[in-house]
Amino acid sequence: MKILVCVKQVPDTEEIKVDPVTGSLIREGVPAILNPLDACALEAAVQFKETYGGNVTVISMGPPQAEQALRQCISVGADDAVLITDRAFKDADTLATSYALSMTAKQLAGFDVIFCGKHTLDGETGQVGPQIAEHLNYNQVTSAMDVKLDSGSLLVLRELEEGRQTVAASLPCVITVTKTNYTPRYPSMKSKMAANRKEIKILSASQIEGLDMDRIGMSGSRTKVTKSFVPQAGQAGMIICEETAEQSGRKLAKLLVDAKII
Amino acid sequence: MSMILNQDQKDLVALAKEFMEKEVKPHIYELDEKGEFPLELYKKGFELGFHSMDMEEKYGGVGLDYNTISFVLEELAKVDAGFAVSLTLNGLAFSCIAEYGSEEQKKSVSERMAPGGFMTFALTEADSGSNAGALRCSYTRDGDDYIINGPKTFITNGKYGDIHVVFATANPEAGVRGISAFIVEKERAGIQIGKEENKMGLRLSNTCDLFFDNVRVPAANLIGKEGLGFKLAMSALDKGRIFCAAMATGIAQGAFEDCIEYSKLRKPFGAPIATHQAVQFILADMAIQIEAARTVTHNAAFLAQSGAKYSKEAAIAKTFASDMAMNVTTDAVQIFGGYGYSREYPVEKRMRDAKIFQIFEGTNQIQRQIIANAILR
Ligand SMILES: Cc1cc2nc3c(=O)[nH]c(=O)nc-3n(C[C@H](O)[C@H](O)[C@H](O)COP(=O)(O)OP(=O)(O)OC[C@H]3O[C@@H](n4cnc5c(N)ncnc54)[C@H](O)[C@@H]3O)c2cc1C
Ligand SMILES: Cc1cc2nc3c(=O)[nH]c(=O)nc-3n(C[C@H](O)[C@H](O)[C@H](O)COP(=O)(O)OP(=O)(O)OC[C@H]3O[C@@H](n4cnc5c(N)ncnc54)[C@H](O)[C@@H]3O)c2cc1C
């Protein structure tokens, strides 16, 4: 089984602040972390490899520092890592991102399963995984919480808002992973150090065969951000729960009257 | 920390921190209260390799140098010193075998210990602590075996030990020259686990009496040769003292960080207590002492790593760091005021944990004796 995991390095939103004047995110000094759901996707991939055999490659598109996120992946079970990094990729939207990732996947060739996180901590669109599937003409299953191989095809348990669903999908397939069953493991001290010695393959745009430069980065992006702002936080509501429904009704009516709403 | 760490060291410290804060810290209050040994948490720690940091890689250990181990131990002890001590005892016991044992012994012991488990270093007896050379636990040769007989006291990991390194004498009259060291696997018939200590601190660790009742081991379990036991113990303890110093530094560092946070929040007269110079000076003194302790510790580690003589420096580090930790944790209680004295807050626990570092692996009086002997020689 040849497995690919797409991972993104994101700012730790627990530490992030918004510039009150410009409304944009203050990224300086914010620690970069492996997108939490990508850590789950990797765990899913590594468990899959451990059960059915194979090899796990991790890939990220991002700045040179994204190498840290890839080393982290190596320390918890990925076999190889590829970083695609180039100024030309800068300011990509999800379409340009998924295009670049899928072209690289084509070049690396032969992946049976591609795991992605369900969404990122920062962009949070959840689009990149499904788009990769479209670019590569793979099947796709989103929101996976458990993945098994059953006589040559995948059995995936999905977590949906209204319940759970098991679907079968034939290979090759893109799977986006939610947290539930895949708590990332700790690296061991040894694997942590081994990951520091591992060579990470670095590809620039020109090293990706057949890459259409008009479809990557800013020029390949079909969406443009015109403004970003922090929505005003709504006030917390109030729960009225008196001893009887009638008392609750009376209290509600009084509050509404007092507020001159009725 | 104002020391330059390489990438591996930074990563291992970060890993230790993450593990301790996520896995151990949430349970500490309860475990400390009950004095419980959290075996499952230790097993998780084994998976990361905290029990085999100084075991060479070719024997399945992590194979870290003394400085790196010291950084990691500081981080472990910052959250819980008892947890750290239990894991380091493996290193203390294994180092006897690593240094003086046969290739066979190194292989068989490491094969068993590398995946996870506990070792003990059984030297102390009820009437021979500081004067370890006066131990009475005896051994006799019987054909191809040795038979070990006698009690041991205050043995860390005693109840959970998979492999004991036991010090016994062929003839108490012969003094230290009569002492030999043996590998005793827990399956050997006649090992009795005695009373568990109800301790002031280090309550996540297990300390108990062991009794060796005619325990028979093959002659191949003798470490090195007969009469080498005392030398071997002292050499292991030299190394152990560096790690004690690192753990004591960790306890103090933890207390110090608690104090910085608390002193900025607590406002008994409207202003945070951190704005009072009297409090600031306590904090500054803590910083001075911790920094100094860390430096002497790493100097001793560096000497040991480079193969230089380091007994005196290890004794200096152990004494300085443990006295320092006692001072800093006592002051930490002071900074927290009444809340510091309350069990609800973690500071008093650090004070209880710090105390033992002035006592075990050679009391600080004995350390001063070692230092003085080295100076006056
Ligand atoms: C409308 C819009 C405009 C944007 N404009 C800009 C812009 O001008 N400049 C800018 O810097 N960013 C911009 N972004 C952000 C950019 O789109 C995202 O950084 C990127 O495309 C990934 O999208 P996401 O974070 O929503 O990922 P999601 O779709 O939520 O991610 C799903 C999964 O896809 C995989 N994945 C996502 N990104 C990567 C990656 N880089 N490498 C490997 N795997 C990945 C991961 O497995 C991840 O869990 C914009 C986003 C949007 C929605
Ligand atoms: C929690 C814990 C864990 C332990 N773990 C282990 C273990 O794993 N293995 C092991 O073998 N032992 C272990 N010990 C034992 C420990 O090493 C001894 O307690 C220590 O060496 C002191 O010995 P003692 O208790 O007999 O004190 P004593 O030797 O009776 O000393 C009493 C006091 O007299 C002082 N003193 C003694 N002799 C002199 C002297 N010549 N000059 C000046 N002052 C002197 C001492 O400094 C001390 O203050 C442990 C102890 C504890 C409490």
Side-chain angles (χ1 to χ4, degrees), chain B residues 56-72:
Chain B
E56 275 181 79
E57 262 191 294
K58 66 172 171 181
Y59 298 117
V62 188
L64 299 178
D65 61 81
Y66 299 143
N67 290 86
T68 306
I69 296 173
S70 300
F71 283 128
V72 175

Side-chain angles (χ1 to χ4, degrees), chain B residues 121 123-124 129-130 154 156 199 356 359-361 363 365 369:
Chain B
F121 179 87
L123 176 67
T124 302
S130 298
F154 289 136
T156 300
K199 304 189 293 294
I356 186 62
I359 299 171
F360 64 9
E361 303 216 5
T363 67
Q365 287 70 37
Q369 219 175 60

Side-chain angles (χ1 to χ4, degrees), chain A residues 68 71-72 183-197, chain B residues 7-8 11-12 15 18 22-23 47-50 53 60-62 64 72:
Chain A
Q68 290 167 2
R71 292 205 184 278
Q72 186 181 338
T183 309
R185 66 191 64 185
Y186 285 97
S188 70
M189 301 180 101
K190 275 196 221 180
S191 68
K192 193 85 206 167
M193 290 190 290
N196 284 343
R197 320 264 178 285
Chain B
Q7 192 60 46
D8 280 350
D11 286 346
L12 296 180
L15 179 60
E18 187 188 353
K22 280 199 192 146
E23 306 295 328
E47 283 174 24
L48 277 68
F50 292 134
M53 289 194 278
V62 188
L64 299 178
V72 175

Side-chain angles (χ1 to χ4, degrees), chain B residues 85 89 92 119-132 152-158 165 167 197 199-202 205-208 237 356 358-367 369:
Chain B
V85 163
L89 250 296
L92 188 68
M119 293 183 75
T120 77
F121 179 87
L123 176 67
T124 302
E125 297 172 11
D127 289 324
S128 64
S130 298
N131 188 8
K152 292 285 172 186
T153 315
F154 289 136
I155 305 308
T156 300
N157 295 341
V165 171
F167 298 87
E197 294 300 332
K199 304 189 293 294
M200 167 183 183
L202 234 57
S205 74
N206 168 264
T207 316
C208 70
L237 286 170
I356 186 62
Q358 296 178 307
I359 299 171
F360 64 9
E361 303 216 5
T363 67
N364 282 7
Q365 287 70 37
I366 297 300
Q367 301 308 308
Q369 219 175 60

Side-chain angles (χ1 to χ4, degrees), chain A residues 7 11 34-35 52 64 66 111 114 127 129 139 154 161-162 191 195 197 210 218-219 227 230 237 247 258:
Chain A
V7 301
L34 176 63
N35 180 44
Y52 307 107
F111 292 108
I114 300 180
Q127 294 173 359
N139 290 325
L154 298 172
E161 267 171 33
E162 60 274 21
S191 68
R197 320 264 178 285
M218 175 97 92
S219 51
K227 185 183 175 197
V230 186
Q247 284 170 341
D258 288 351

Side-chain angles (χ1 to χ4, degrees), chain A residues 48-226:
Chain A
F48 195 81
K49 170 184 89 168
E50 287 167 350
T51 314
Y52 307 107
N55 171 290
V56 174
T57 303
V58 278
I59 184 171
S60 188
M61 182 178 101
Q65 308 82 278
E67 191 181 314
Q68 290 167 2
L70 292 172
R71 292 205 184 278
Q72 186 181 338
C73 296
I74 298 272
S75 78
V76 287
D79 302 290
D80 298 293
V82 181
L83 174 64
I84 61 173
T85 186
D86 203 308
R87 294 204 147 268
F89 294 127
K90 216 173 151 300
D91 296 333
D93 68 1
T94 60
L95 188 65
T97 302
S98 61
Y99 172 71
L101 289 170
S102 53
M103 288 303 284
T104 315
K106 255 185 207 161
Q107 177 167 329
L108 299 170
F111 292 108
D112 301 294
V113 193
I114 300 180
F115 286 92
C116 290
K118 186 181 167 213
H119 55 73
T120 58
L121 208 55
D122 60 342
E124 227 187 332
T125 65
Q127 294 173 359
V128 173
Q131 288 174 356
I132 291 173
E134 290 305 311
H135 287 302
L136 294 174
N137 201 19
Y138 276 30
N139 290 325
Q140 58 170 292
V141 184
T142 55
S143 293
M145 50 184 292
D146 190 56
V147 186
K148 286 192 177 64
L149 191 63
D150 185 41
S151 49
S153 57
L154 298 172
L155 268 190
V156 186
L157 179 65
R158 302 180 67 210
E159 184 177 56
L160 306 175
E161 267 171 33
E162 60 274 21
R164 289 177 179 182
Q165 180 187 48
T166 302
V167 296
S170 54
L171 298 171
C173 187
V174 172
I175 293 173
T176 76
V177 175
T178 65
K179 191 165 173 89
T180 336
N181 281 2
Y182 295 114
T183 309
R185 66 191 64 185
Y186 285 97
S188 70
M189 301 180 101
K190 275 196 221 180
S191 68
K192 193 85 206 167
M193 290 190 290
N196 284 343
R197 320 264 178 285
K198 178 87 187 178
E199 197 193 327
I200 302 234
K201 185 169 182 176
I202 296 180
L203 294 176
S204 61
S206 63
Q207 290 170 300
I208 300 168
E209 275 165 39
L211 192 74
D212 181 347
M213 296 300 278
D214 290 332
R215 293 180 67 186
I216 62 168
M218 175 97 92
S219 51
S221 295
R222 293 289 167 268
T223 44
K224 293 282 170 279
V225 178
T226 51

Side-chain angles (χ1 to χ4, degrees), chain B residues 35-37 154-155 158-160 193-199 205-209:
Chain B
E36 231 173 68
F37 189 79
F154 289 136
I155 305 308
K159 185 174 169 186
Y160 299 91
I193 291 161
K195 157 178 96 74
E196 282 176 55
E197 294 300 332
N198 184 7
K199 304 189 293 294
S205 74
N206 168 264
T207 316
C208 70
D209 287 352

